[in-house]
Amino acid sequence: MAAKALSDCGVVVLGGTAGVGFEAAARFAEKGARVVIIGRHAERGAIACEKLRERAPGGWVQFVKADALLPEDAARAAEQAHALLGSIDVLMCTTGPSAPPRLLHNIPIGNIRPRLEEIILPPLHMMHAVLPVMRAQKSGSIITVASDAAKFATPGETLIGAAMAAIVMFSRAAAIEAKRDGVRINLLTPSLIAGTPGAGLIAADPFAGKMFDKAATLAHLGVADATDLAEAALFLAGPQSRRITGQAISVNGGISVG
């Protein structure tokens, strides 16, 4: 049940065409891992693969087009990735926000269910799809980027907080279920992530931008960026963290502690 060295790993990154997912895919490729990135847009996938190969010359990088919100797409993507990689040793799930934070009473009731589903279901579907492979291998590491909104109640993050709390809880429960088979499941929970498409979306919104600007003043160690999350993911994927599972680790520069 020993964790593999990163250079021996087959790595799948959901949301690997931009932001934290792209940076993590690049860092895995630089370490010698074989990497498959999953995204919804073929053109973005091709561009991301080209950039990843520039970051890691000679690196092994492929793209699989899928929308993990759809269970059949997630299952197909996992099957394709497994066929390409030969093994799935690491799954990293990270997807960016499609809408800025809003107070609950300002969210149309018809938007509630789709918003919850688009946050919760992609990482849940991908975890479900890769777990049989990892359990058969008797090893594997799953890392999901969620949010500190799962831990701390914040105005404007009622839906986001509820969805992120769901991700944290299903990941922790799955970690208990999978530990006997050598599979570890952990989460990274940032508050703000500078320099990502999601940060740009938030900054452009008057309500969300003001809220997050205030939060940034509490990050006395600095606001986290994609590199911070990627480096933490590499640690959780590798043998140095072989005794760690079921943890939701805040990476937030000191904005909150808990």
Side-chain angles (χ1 to χ4, degrees):
M1 291 188 181
K4 289 184 179 180
L6 294 179
S7 58
D8 295 329
C9 285
V11 177
V12 176
V13 182
L14 175 65
T17 61
V20 172
F22 175 85
E23 185 61 29
R27 295 293 292 120
F28 278 116
E30 288 168 352
K31 293 292 185 181
R34 309 178 310 282
V35 179
V36 167
I37 57 174
I38 297 175
R40 293 176 295 175
H41 304 285
E43 184 177 355
R44 292 181 192 173
I47 293 170
C49 282
E50 184 177 347
K51 291 180 178 178
L52 288 170
R53 293 177 186 128
E54 291 174 359
R55 283 277 300 269
W60 195 102
V61 181
Q62 297 291 331
F63 172 74
V64 170
K65 181 179 181 295
D67 182 354
L69 179 62
L70 306 175
E72 62 274 16
D73 257 27
R76 176 184 54 78
E79 184 177 347
Q80 285 185 243
H82 191 214
L84 288 166
L85 294 167
S87 65
I88 300 178
D89 304 295
V90 179
L91 169 67
M92 182 171 180
C93 296
T94 173
T95 54
S98 64
R102 284 286 181 272
L103 298 173
L104 181 60
H105 66 269
N106 288 330
I107 300 172
I109 196 167
N111 292 356
I112 291 176
R113 178 176 175 175
R115 182 76 175 117
L116 291 174
E117 289 180 345
E118 73 174 2
I119 298 172
I120 296 169
L121 292 182
L124 179 57
H125 286 158
M126 286 307 304
M127 182 183 295
H128 187 279
V130 305
L131 270 173
V133 173
M134 290 184 171
R135 295 182 77 148
Q137 295 170 172
K138 297 296 182 182
S139 67
S141 176
I142 298 175
I143 304 127
T144 298
V145 179
S147 167
D148 268 348
K151 304 174 182 179
F152 306 100
T154 305
E157 294 191 323
T158 47
L159 291 190
I160 294 170
M164 294 299 177
I167 292 172
V168 168
M169 191 51 65
F170 77 62
S171 297
R172 284 178 160 169
I176 295 171
E177 295 174 356
K179 65 181 180 178
R180 292 180 183 272
D181 292 312
V183 180
R184 299 180 297 110
I185 302 174
N186 293 289
L187 306 105
L188 298 171
T189 60
S191 291
L192 310 174
I193 310 174
T196 61
L201 176 70
I202 288 167
D205 181 77
F207 169 76
K210 183 177 180 180
M211 182 175 70
F212 278 80
D213 283 347
K214 183 178 180 180
T217 65
L218 302 175
H220 296 114
L221 299 178
V223 174
D225 59 21
T227 301
D228 295 318
L229 275 296
E231 290 293 341
L234 261 65
F235 170 73
L236 290 173
Q240 298 91 338
S241 63
R242 62 189 179 276
R243 311 292 185 221
I244 301 175
T245 194
Q247 304 304 306
I249 302 169
S250 294
V251 183
N252 62 23
I255 290 175
S256 57
V257 178

